[in-house]
Amino acid sequence: MDGPLQPEKGAADAPFYLPQGDEIPVFTAAHENDLPVLLKGPTGCGKTRFVTHMAARLDRPLHTVACHDDLSAADLIGRYLLKGGETVWVDGPLTRAVREGAICYLDEVVEARKDVTVVLHPLTDDRRILPIDRTGEEIEAAPGFMLVASYNPGYQNILKTLKPSTRQRFISLEFTFPKPEHEIPVVARESGLSEERVKPLVRLANKLRDLKGQDLEEGVSTRLVVYAATLIRQGMPVERAIRVAMIEPLTDDADVKRGLLDLVTAVFG
Ligand SMILES: Nc1ncnc2c1ncn2[C@@H]1O[C@H](COP(=O)(O)OP(=O)(O)O)[C@@H](O)[C@H]1O
Ligand SMILES: [Mg+2]
């Protein structure tokens, strides 16, 4: 790093993030020491919000890439494009982050094609370089560059998991759905609904999460609870908001749905 970090610098205007534990100091220490970070956890539990918060706090630009099964190394690194009859090299988001000393966030990294992990290896050891075969360039990461990746260990099949040779290059932070004492203020703050009215939604969310593995593949995310609360704050009847934001997104199976609606009745009467 060039000069001492001032972790509090951007904290005031950083997007709201309520920490669950020591993830802020761990991420800060990783950044100060040029270590890459892997965030593990279910969808909608705050991983992306945490990264945007930390980028602002550490005063670093952020390049986010939503990985999908067609994403290749060239999408990250860059490619030659035809522009006005001329071929010009255009940096991809990873290359831009490496040059700028930015944070590059690869969301759902296991979804990407296999050649992507190969590119990450020389960036995640102490060489911190990005070789670009197409141009013959070898770029050394600028100070402040940090690689952050996320994945959801819950619903991956065996073919889509991180190889030990890749995962053992990252500091790893485990994310779970926030405890009620955290989730209630988070949902209230995000939706504008009072904590009193958010409480039963969070209670319901945790009952739904208990069904994970039995009837449901994934428990209801904090994101969905925020959606339900937002609709209620806007005036939608509670039952309807819960149905469209917290029940329908979870399952297409009519029997399972009936079971979930019974839980709603148990919580709301
Ligand atoms: N600890 C938290 N602090 C603030 N907001 C949170 C927190 N956890 C979850 N959220 C809310 O949940 C939403 C979904 O989180 P997100 O970061 O997009 O999930 P993920 O990236 O894990 O899928 C956010 O937009 C935010 O409203
Ligand atoms: Mg995300």
Side-chain angles (χ1 to χ4, degrees), residues 47-48 105 107 223:
K47 300 184 296 297
T48 297
Y105 176 40
D107 201 0
R223 180 187 298 119

Side-chain angles (χ1 to χ4, degrees), residues 175-193:
F175 280 67
T176 55
F177 294 118
K179 292 190 288 262
E181 61 262 41
H182 289 133
E183 194 166 26
I184 292 165
V186 163
V187 174
R189 163 112 188 213
E190 293 286 308
S191 66
L193 193 69

Side-chain angles (χ1 to χ4, degrees), residues 32-53:
E32 277 173 30
N33 291 286
D34 289 340
L35 303 175
V37 169
L38 184 65
L39 311 176
K40 309 190 281 182
T43 184
C45 72
K47 300 184 296 297
T48 297
R49 177 62 66 88
F50 174 61
V51 177
T52 50
H53 175 85

Side-chain angles (χ1 to χ4, degrees), residues 60-78:
R60 287 284 121 201
L62 176 65
H63 298 286
T64 298
V65 182
C67 300
H68 51 82
D69 52 10
D70 240 2
L71 186 97
S72 66
D75 294 321
L76 290 181
I77 293 178

